[in-house]
Amino acid sequence: MSEVLLKGKSKVVRQGVCDDSLVIEFLDCVTAFNGDKKAEFVGKGALCAAISGIIFRHLEKHGIKTHLIKDVSETSVSVKKADIIPVEVVVRNKSAGGFAKKYGVDEGSSLKNVVVEFSYKSDTLGDPLMNESQITALGLADQSELRDMADEALKINQLLVNFFASVGIELADFKLEFGRYQDEIILCDEISPDSCRLWDIATGERLDKDRFRRDLGDLLEGYAEVFNRLNSR
Ligand code: TMP
């Protein structure tokens, strides 16, 4: 296997076969609270790889440009080597998690509009929220890139709200990362129960990483439920 370029909390990135490709391996490791809580669940990497693959292919089919090239194994995917913009984009359809806590709004409350938030992708700083002028002041991204990312995030949200609703799941919120690739901004990283809040519409059951963050139940069972529903769609 080629050299490891980057080891993240839940993924490893290696050089791909061509110069401008990478191989991302999804690990069984799961972390929360900026890495303070950690565990391993055998099979989690494969489930996230499979779910993220289904979602990225769905988005590609509907005109969203992504880094995806092809699956290379149960846990690895070959992707375009984009220059990752160090700004995480969170989209919220319902109050939950950090939003509920910060603004004192009950989890599950409706919002009058979809929320798009930017934060600085920095583990050492704990991914702090950032407004547009702070991002441009530090040169992390420019105005037009931020506009493209926000527009793209809202398009992705609409596609995914409908996609998950078709299998009885509410997409409460999720996090995206984008990268620069050949003069374009493309969707990178992953979209999986590690990076989304997914609520069973019928029961309200959490099917995502909150099972681990909040000790709500078996993590793999929730992720497998998401996979099975999307896969049999
Ligand atoms: P938050 O409520 O903790 O801000 O998280 C919002 C959404 O973004 C939630 O679905 C989890 C996801 N997320 C990540 O994937 N990685 C992160 O580092 C953070 C802070 C959130």
Side-chain angles (χ1 to χ4, degrees), residues 28-31 37-41 212:
D28 288 337
C29 186
V30 61
T31 70
K37 185 169 177 177
K38 250 190 236 168
E40 220 175 278
F41 294 92
F212 171 68

Side-chain angles (χ1 to χ4, degrees), residues 103-170:
Y103 303 113
V105 186
D106 286 347
E107 179 148 308
S109 301
S110 297
L111 301 169
K112 291 190 193 300
N113 54 264
V114 175
V115 171
V116 177
E117 285 173 9
F118 297 119
S119 58
Y120 190 5
K121 181 175 161 64
S122 161
D123 283 340
T124 34
L125 299 175
D127 297 345
L129 265 183
M130 265 192 157
N131 69 28
E132 298 192 15
S133 72
Q134 292 169 322
I135 294 170
T136 54
L138 295 184
L140 305 179
D142 66 28
Q143 232 6 290
S144 106
E145 289 176 324
L146 288 175
R147 207 169 312 121
D148 285 355
M149 284 159 69
D151 286 352
E152 216 50 12
L154 288 172
K155 267 189 231 159
I156 292 166
N157 183 50
Q158 206 43 64
L159 288 165
L160 293 188
V161 162
N162 294 335
F163 192 48
F164 279 114
S166 74
V167 296
I169 294 174
E170 177 172 19

Side-chain angles (χ1 to χ4, degrees), residues 9 34 88-92 96-100 102 107 117 119 123 126-127 129 171-177 189-190 192-198 208-210 213-214:
K9 286 176 293 196
N34 209 21
E88 297 189 350
V89 184
V90 167
V91 179
R92 301 183 189 273
F99 184 95
K102 191 181 307 266
E107 179 148 308
E117 285 173 9
S119 58
D123 283 340
D127 297 345
L129 265 183
L171 176 62
D173 61 29
F174 59 102
K175 186 261 306 179
L176 301 174
E177 294 184 24
D189 195 49
E190 69 175 300
S192 77
D194 268 4
S195 63
C196 301
R197 285 199 171 87
L198 301 169
D208 56 71
K209 199 162 97 175
D210 274 345
R213 292 190 192 93
R214 305 175 185 180

Side-chain angles (χ1 to χ4, degrees), residues 39-89:
E40 220 175 278
F41 294 92
V42 175
K44 194 220 59 150
L47 278 169
C48 283
I51 293 166
S52 196
I54 292 172
I55 291 174
F56 272 59
R57 282 188 286 276
H58 179 75
L59 293 174
E60 283 274 354
K61 211 166 80 189
H62 289 83
I64 304 293
K65 297 206 164 104
T66 81
H67 68 171
L68 184 71
I69 300 175
K70 63 177 169 70
D71 294 340
V72 293
S73 76
E74 267 207 339
T75 53
S76 299
V77 62
S78 153
V79 303
K80 295 168 185 160
K81 191 186 214 164
D83 165 32
I84 297 291
I85 299 173
V87 173
E88 297 189 350
V89 184

